[in-house]
Amino acid sequence: MLCLELSFPPLPQLITVGHAAWTPGMSHFVRNFDVYDMIFVRTGTFYICEEGAEYTLTPGDVIVLEPGKTHWGHRPVETETDVYWVHFAHAPPLGHVERDRIPWKRSVERGTDAHLAPVPQTMYLPKRASVPLETLLPLLDELVRLHRSPTLQSSLRLQTKLGELLVRLQPEPAAQGSARTSRIADTVVRYLQERVGEPFDAARMERELHFAFDYLARCLKRHTGLSPLQYLHRLQVEQAKALLLRTDLPVQRIGERVGQPNGAYFGRLFRRHVGSTPAAYRAAQLPLDAPPTDS
């Protein structure tokens, strides 16, 4: 399943939503606009083309047409076809990725009281998929109802309902062939979390987890997008950031506590992940009148 990768925040914003029956002979007109157009087919068969790629949608199918791409009906419907559509505004997708290549277990930076902006994240929407439409119909009907009677009271509910719909459309991790690799990736993650302050040792990991290191690395890469060493470095940097903000330990000591005793290398590693040196990060994040609270 091909999926669109979207960044957030901000979250997508609803523009319009509708529900209609297309009668035989009708087809979608040519259109190109800077919004997303989601089409859900309840009954019948709907024909749509986007930038030359033709799609035939049957009951239970959904397609997400992208902003800036021309789409049109490549043939008229032949039977009465019942469809819902949802238009929403958002930045163009970061890219296209197959579902089984989505790094579902990728670690996401947690927001703290030192953050002054939301932490960037990603969501995924299927480009075209078959969905359990019967479970989505109450939500789609509620969106249509709220949109038809816009009030100050309902406007926020309308936007939150779009968020709920997007959550329901998030593709589940592919089941075939992924359960075993997912469990092994979980095992590697736990192993690294428990040894975040220790030097990286591929041979030791191989001995203690009873799998070839190359296989362990492939499993982790498939589900997080990172190699074991890259994942460990991310854990070390996140732990270092917490120590910089919550303690008054010197930078060298913090590097030692997170498994990076070489001060110069720790500084380069931190800068590569964060964009500044540890000392600069501490100075920028901590207000002058709020020293670290523990050591």
Side-chain angles (χ1 to χ4, degrees):
M1 176 194 297
L2 187 66
C3 299
L4 306 180
E5 183 180 26
L6 278 64
S7 64
F8 75 95
L11 291 170
Q13 295 296 301
L14 183 75
I15 296 175
T16 188
V17 57
H19 172 218
W22 292 58
T23 57
M26 294 178 64
S27 62
H28 199 294
F29 60 92
V30 178
R31 192 165 196 184
N32 185 321
F33 51 10
D34 290 328
V35 304
Y36 289 84
D37 185 357
M38 286 195 298
I39 298 174
F40 300 81
V41 177
R42 184 177 185 181
T43 62
T45 304
F46 194 76
Y47 306 96
I48 195 75
C49 183
E50 182 187 51
E51 297 286 310
E54 295 183 356
Y55 300 91
T56 299
L57 308 177
T58 55
D61 284 350
V62 59
I63 189 168
V64 181
L65 303 172
E66 301 170 50
K69 292 187 175 183
T70 303
H71 61 265
W72 65 92
H74 61 88
R75 60 185 288 186
V77 301
E78 298 167 353
T79 61
E80 186 168 296
T81 301
D82 191 79
V83 301
Y84 292 81
W85 68 89
V86 179
H87 294 177
F88 64 87
H90 196 61
L94 299 174
H96 300 76
V97 59
E98 292 292 339
R99 179 177 61 179
D100 61 357
R101 296 298 181 185
I102 295 174
W104 295 105
K105 299 181 185 297
R106 179 178 58 202
S107 62
V108 176
E109 184 181 1
R110 292 179 299 171
T112 70
D113 55 5
H115 281 82
L116 301 179
V119 175
Q121 300 186 50
T122 53
M123 72 175 98
Y124 297 88
L125 290 176
K127 176 65 182 178
R128 180 196 181 282
S130 294
V131 297
L133 193 58
E134 64 279 0
T135 65
L136 295 179
L137 286 177
L139 180 54
L140 290 168
D141 286 335
E142 178 71 357
L143 279 163
V144 172
R145 186 188 68 80
L146 290 170
H147 186 259
R148 286 176 176 171
S149 56
T151 64
L152 192 61
Q153 184 179 19
S154 65
S155 58
L156 181 58
R157 290 186 61 204
L158 187 60
Q159 296 296 335
T160 59
K161 289 295 180 181
L162 172 64
E164 184 179 342
L165 178 63
L166 296 178
V167 169
R168 301 272 289 276
L169 288 175
Q170 294 300 290
E172 295 294 330
Q176 295 183 349
S178 69
R180 174 183 170 87
T181 59
S182 178
R183 289 195 299 269
I184 292 174
D186 284 339
T187 300
V188 176
V189 167
R190 289 193 297 271
Y191 179 90
L192 294 172
Q193 289 172 336
E194 292 167 1
R195 293 161 179 79
V196 67
E198 302 176 13
F200 181 74
D201 189 332
R204 179 187 174 191
M205 178 187 293
E206 188 173 79
R207 290 194 306 271
E208 295 186 359
L209 297 184
H210 309 292
F211 287 101
F213 176 76
D214 286 347
Y215 181 65
L216 294 170
R218 287 199 305 272
C219 291
L220 185 69
K221 182 80 171 181
R222 177 175 181 179
H223 294 280
T224 69
L226 301 173
S227 70
L229 184 57
Q230 289 171 330
Y231 198 96
L232 178 63
H233 283 167
R234 178 171 291 187
L235 292 174
Q236 291 172 336
V237 169
E238 288 303 311
Q239 187 176 92
K241 287 164 65 177
L243 290 171
L244 286 165
L245 298 182
R246 297 172 186 169
T247 77
D248 57 3
L249 289 172
V251 171
Q252 176 66 34
R253 178 65 181 135
I254 288 176
E256 293 170 357
R257 284 186 58 169
V258 303
Q260 294 294 342
N262 184 314
Y265 181 78
F266 171 59
R268 291 196 300 271
L269 178 68
F270 193 92
R271 179 188 285 274
R272 186 164 69 243
H273 282 259
V274 181
S276 65
T277 65
Y281 175 81
R282 172 182 266 169
Q285 297 294 324
L286 285 178
L288 297 177
D289 59 348
T293 57
D294 60 81
S295 58

